[in-house]
Amino acid sequence: MLILDHLWIILALPLLGAAINGLLGKNFRKPIVNAVGIGSVSVAFLSVAELVREFMRLSAGQIPWVKSYFTWITAGQFKVDFALQVDQLTIVMLFVVTFVSLLVHIYSTGYMAHEEGYYRFFSYLNLFVFFMLTLVLAANVVLMFVGWEGVGLCSYLLIGFWFLKPSAISAGKKAFITTRIGDFGFTVGILLLFWTFKSVDFRTIFAQTLHMQPEAFAPAGVLTLICLLLFTGAIGKSAQLPLYVWLPDAMEGPTPVSALIHAATMVTAGVYMVARMNPLFSRAPFAMFIVALVGALTAFYAATIGLVQTDIKKVLAYSTVSQLGYMFLGLGVGSYAAGVFHLMTHAFFKGLLFLAAGSVIHAMGGDQEMPHMGGLRNKIPVTFWTMLIATFAIAGIPGFAGFFSKDEILEAAHSAPHASTLLWLLGLVGAGLTSFYMFRLVFLTFFGEPRYDEHKVHVHESPKSMTVPLILLAILSTVGGWVAAPHLVNGPDYFSNFLSPVFTAYPAAGAIVNEGAAPESASMVLLHALTGWPVIIALLGLLVAWWFYIKSPETPKKFAQSLRGPYTLILHKYYADELYNAAIIQPLLWVSTNVLWHVVDEGLIDGTVNGVARVARESGAELREIQSGNARSYASWVVIGAVGVTLLMLGLWGMGR
Amino acid sequence: MNLVPISYYLVLSAILFGLGIVAFVFKRNIITIFMAIELMLNAVNLAFVAFARAHNQLDGLVFVFFVIVVAAAEAAVGLAIVITVYQNRRTLNIEQINLLKF
C-alpha cells in the first residue's frame, strides 16, 4: 500500500524534476538535465505501475480511493481539500499520461539535442506532467481546475518555446486566450456546481445526484446548464468547434510538445472531464446531445480541412481536432467507455504520428512541407514502418488499435439510445476522410520520387533515442486495442468492463449510459464489425488516396480545378481565422482602443488622477502668494482670524440663548 | 471692596490689547514690535487678574504667573535673536527681514 497511501509521490516527482531543472539546470551539463528530466518521469511511471498493482487488490467498496492531505481553502460553506482520488478512470489516464510522457521525454533528448534552452524545455515538460497528473488525480473540481489551468500554462510556454520567432509567440498567445474563453464557462460552471450542491467534492456531488431524476430534454434545468458550462471549458481545452482554431497554430511548438500536449494528453483533458462528470451529464440529455453534436460536427469539419493541408504537422493537428470530436461523440451518446478507449488508443497512435513526423522533419533538416518530400521510404525505414502502423491505427484498419475504439464509438452512435443516424453518418464520412488524408500523408511523404534537392538535404535516420519510443508506441498502437477484441466475437470488452464501475456507480432511471449494444450471435457480430461500414469506408479512403497520389498524381490537380470553389474554401480552412478576426478580434480591438483606452483609461482614469494633482498644484500656486515672509502680515491674518473666531463664537452664543 | 466694576478692567484690557495689535502690525522696528507683544501679554494678564478677583478664584492668578514666566523667557530668547539679527543684517527694519519668503 505504499503508493496508495502516498499518492502525492506521483505528483511530487515531476514537480521536483521541473524545479531542479528549471532553477539550477542552466549550469548543468546535458546528461544531468536528461537524468533529472527522464528520471523523475520514469520513477513517476514506475510509481503508477506500482499503484496499478496495489489498486487491483482493493475491494470494490474502497473505490474510489480518496486521500485528503490538507484543507486548502475554507470560506463559510466553501471548503476545498487538497485531496487526491483514484478510480478506474484515473488509472487509465495515469497510465497513458506517464507512459507517453516518458517516451516523449526520451525522444526529446534526441530531437532537442541541438536547441538552446535545453534545460528549460525539460523543466516545462516536467511541469506539464505535474499539472496533468494533478488534473487527473484531483478529487474535487477546484483542484482539477488548478491542473486544468496549469497544463494550459505549460502549453503556452511550450508553444512559445522558440520565443524569438514571432509566429510562435502569437500562436502561444492564441492558444492561451482561446482556451481562456472556454475556461470562463468552466469557472462559471464550477460556481454553479457549488451553488447547486454546496460542495465541490466529486463524491459528495455524485452522491447527491443519486436522488435526482434525469432532466427533460427541453425545457432543461440547472444540471443541463452546469453541464453545458463545463462542456464550454472542454470545447476550449479539447479544441472543438468553434474554439478549435488554436490547435493548428499550436504546431509552432517543438514536435515532441505537439505529440505530448497537443495530441496525447492535454487536449484530452476535456474528454476526461466530461467522463469524470458522467453522473451529471447522464442526467442532462440536452447537454449530452450538444456534446455528441459538437463532437460529430468537429470530427467531420476538421477532417475536411485535413484533406488539403500540405504541412505535415498541420494535417496531424486537424486530425487531432477531428479525433477529439470522435471522443466527444462517444461520450455524447452515452458510451463513456468508448470515448475514453479512443482517448487511450489515440494517445498511442497520434503520439506516434507526431513523433514520427518529428523524425521525418528531423531527417529533412527542418522542412515540414509534404510537397518537398517523397520517396523517404527506404531512407528512414524505422520511421516509415512505425508511421505506417500508426496510420493503419488511425484509419481504422482492422486489427490495429484505432479500429476497435473508433468502431465502438460509431457503433454507439448508431445503436445507443440517444444516437441518431445523422451523428453516425457524420462520424462515418469523417472516418473515410481520416483514412484518405492519413494515407495521403504517408504516400506524399514516403512514396513516389524524391522532390527535395538531394545535394542539399541529407536524409538520415534518427538516433536511437528517437526511434525506440517510436517502436514502443507502434507496438501499443497495434496491441493497445486488443483488450476490446473479444467483444467482436461477442466476448467481454475488458476495457469497458474495467471502467464500468465509474460510469454505472450513480445510476438513475432513464439516464444516458450506454453499456454496449444488445448481444448478437458471435459470428454475426464479427461479420458486422469486419465488413461494417467503418472498414469499408476506411479502405475506400486508402484506395482513393492511392489512386490520387500514387497511381495518377495528376488527378488531385484536375480534381481541385473542377471543384475550384469548395477547394479554395477548404484550403483557406473555411476562412475561420479571417471570420474570427473580422467578427470578434477587430471589433474587440476597436472597442479596446477607442473606448477602453482613449475614453476610459486616458479620459476617466488618467483624467481623475491628473485632475486631482492639477487642482492641488494650482490651488497651491494661488495660496503661496499669502506666504509673503512678512511677519506683520502673518500677524494681521492671525488677528483677522481671531476676530473672526470671536465673532463666530459670540454669534453662536447669542443664538444659543 | 468692589468699588470698580469688572467691566472697567476688561475695557482697559481690551484697549491695551488693541493698542498692542496696532503697534505690532504697523510698527517696523523689531524692538517696538517686541514691546507691543509685551503690551498684549500684560493686557491679557490684566483680564485674568480682573476675572480672578471678580470670581474670587485663584486660577486666574496662577495663569498670570505662568504668563509672566513665559514672557520673561520669551524676552530673553527674543532679545538674543534680535541682537543676532542685527549683527547679521545691520538693520532692525522688519520689512527687510524676509528671507523665509518662498
Side-chain angles (χ1 to χ4, degrees), chain A residues 634-645:
Chain A
Y634 296 164
S636 311
W637 282 112
V638 171
V639 172
I640 292 168
V643 170
V645 169

Side-chain angles (χ1 to χ4, degrees), chain A residues 558-619:
Chain A
K558 280 186 221 154
F559 203 67
Q561 261 163 7
S562 61
L563 286 170
R564 179 162 290 280
Y567 178 77
T568 338
L569 185 68
I570 294 176
L571 193 65
H572 290 90
K573 306 152 198 167
Y574 296 100
Y575 297 97
D577 281 332
E578 287 82 353
L579 189 71
Y580 287 4
N581 187 36
I584 298 168
I585 298 172
Q586 290 307 329
L588 207 63
L589 217 57
W590 188 89
V591 171
S592 301
T593 312
N594 293 328
V595 178
L596 293 179
W597 176 10
H598 289 313
V599 175
V600 175
D601 194 24
E602 287 187 339
L604 231 60
I605 298 174
D606 289 1
T608 313
V609 174
N610 293 342
V612 168
R614 201 169 60 236
V615 166
R617 197 175 60 230
E618 285 173 2
S619 58

Side-chain angles (χ1 to χ4, degrees), chain A residues 185-205:
Chain A
F186 194 20
T187 321
V188 178
I190 292 173
L191 293 178
L192 195 58
L193 201 61
F194 176 73
W195 184 74
T196 313
F197 294 99
K198 302 296 172 223
S199 172
V200 288
D201 183 62
F202 288 140
R203 274 193 309 183
T204 322
I205 293 172

Side-chain angles (χ1 to χ4, degrees), chain A residues 5 108 159 168 177 180 191 223 251 278 289 327 407 413 459 554 588 627:
Chain A
D5 284 329
S108 301
I159 294 170
I177 294 169
R180 194 56 11 99
L191 293 178
L223 277 183
M251 296 303 125
N278 69 80
F289 172 71
M327 294 176 210
D407 191 58
V459 177
E554 297 81 35
L588 207 63
Q627 297 276 69

Side-chain angles (χ1 to χ4, degrees), chain B residues 1-33:
Chain B
M1 286 287 281
N2 288 325
L3 293 175
V4 184
I6 188 173
S7 54
Y8 283 47
Y9 292 104
L10 291 183
V11 170
L12 178 60
S13 168
I15 291 170
L16 288 177
F17 193 83
L19 286 174
I21 288 173
V22 172
F24 183 90
V25 174
F26 292 105
K27 282 293 178 182
R28 294 208 178 106
N29 191 299
I30 300 179
I31 302 285
T32 321
I33 289 171

Side-chain angles (χ1 to χ4, degrees), chain A residues 65-86:
Chain A
W65 175 273
V66 178
K67 272 270 161 193
S68 183
Y69 289 98
F70 55 87
T71 301
W72 176 31
I73 305 171
T74 25
Q77 281 184 307
F78 187 74
K79 183 166 173 293
V80 184
D81 281 357
F82 184 84
L84 304 178
Q85 166 181 337
V86 179

